[in-house]
Structure formats: structure tokens, C-alpha cells
Amino acid sequence: MDSVKIVIFDEEDLTQTLIQNYLKEVIFPYELEKYNDFDVDLLNNYNGYQIVIANLNTYNTHILDKISEYSNSKKIFFLIISYNTSTDLQVKALRNGVKDYIVKPLLKADFVYSIQQIYKHYISEQNDRPSCKIYSIYSP
């Protein structure tokens, strides 16, 4: 299987470094890219599977509209990380297509589990599904 591209959008260098260290625990091949600001155009240049980790705060809730647009793709999956513990924001994010919402500070076990579940349920199972064909035969 090809590697998954993991893209981090977070302005905190500490969080980016922490995630990079946590990703050493995952059991699937990946490539990592890190950016400070959310830019959806960076996601368009890749044809493979992508897991996008984006920081959500009070000032950038507009990114949920872009996430909603791109979450219809079968190859891009979003994980939100945030200091905001508001249930309303979590529900809004999940309704916009986010696969998981993790509150900062990130705990290693929670983060690794979430990434592995996204990979297992949305990426590896898509590749493992047998293709089926339906034939319809009728006599005139």
C-alpha cells in the first residue's frame, strides 16, 4: 500500500513537534508535511489518501466550511485538534465531516488511537473491500 500523506496545520511549533513524535507509533506508512496556516490548496496537489490534522480555535472556525467541502472526498480525512472544549464546536465540526475531534493538550494514547482508527476504518478497509459485479440475465 502507498503511504498516507499526513498534513498538519497548526501555528504552534510545539504541537507540530509533539505530533511528529507521536506519529512514530503508527503502524502504517506515511509522509508528513507541516504548515502554520490552514490552506486547502495544499491538499489539491496529491492524489493519494490524506489525513489532515487542523488546529481549530475561535478565530478560524471558517475552516469548517472548507472541511465540509472537502470531506465529501473519499481520500481526504480530517482530524481537529483544539483547546476549545465547547461541545457545540465539537458537534459542528463532526457535522461538517471531521472524523475526530481531540482536545489539547494532546495525549499520546488518544492521538495515536484516533489516527490508527481513521486509517483502519476509512483507508485500509476501502482497499480491502472486494470488488463485486452484478450480472442481470433475462430472457425475452
Side-chain angles (χ1 to χ4, degrees):
M1 156 139 234
D2 294 334
S3 65
V4 174
K5 181 174 156 185
I6 298 177
V7 183
I8 303 170
F9 293 108
D10 195 323
E11 63 278 353
E12 293 180 359
D13 290 334
L14 180 61
T15 301
Q16 289 183 8
T17 304
L18 194 64
I19 290 173
Q20 185 173 2
N21 286 329
Y22 288 175
L23 285 172
K24 293 176 184 175
E25 301 291 320
V26 300
I27 57 172
F28 58 87
Y30 67 90
E31 302 169 22
L32 180 64
E33 293 183 9
K34 301 182 288 187
Y35 302 99
N36 288 336
D37 298 319
F38 186 83
D39 184 359
V40 73
D41 293 331
L42 296 169
L43 306 177
N44 294 329
N45 302 330
Y46 191 74
N47 286 334
Y49 290 105
Q50 299 178 76
I51 298 175
V52 179
I53 303 166
N55 181 44
L56 183 65
N57 57 45
T58 318
Y59 307 109
N60 70 351
T61 57
H62 65 278
I63 70 171
L64 291 176
D65 296 330
K66 291 293 184 186
I67 288 173
S68 179
E69 226 176 274
Y70 279 82
S71 67
N72 294 329
S73 168
K74 300 281 187 215
K75 292 195 170 203
I76 301 175
F77 308 98
F78 292 92
L79 168 64
I80 291 294
I81 55 176
S82 179
Y83 285 113
N84 193 328
T85 60
S86 164
T87 304
D88 291 337
L89 186 59
Q90 291 179 28
V91 169
K92 185 175 181 183
L94 294 170
R95 285 185 177 161
N96 279 289
V98 171
K99 299 303 179 198
D100 203 355
Y101 187 107
I102 301 177
V103 177
K104 289 181 176 181
L106 298 176
L107 299 175
K108 183 177 183 178
D110 294 342
F111 177 79
V112 171
Y113 178 79
S114 178
I115 287 285
Q116 304 260 91
Q117 291 302 305
I118 291 171
Y119 178 79
K120 178 182 174 188
H121 292 294
Y122 300 104
I123 298 173
S124 71
E125 283 186 2
Q126 284 186 6
N127 292 326
D128 292 341
R129 290 183 182 150
S131 61
C132 72
K133 298 177 183 175
I134 299 174
Y135 294 99
S136 177
I137 301 172
Y138 69 96
S139 63

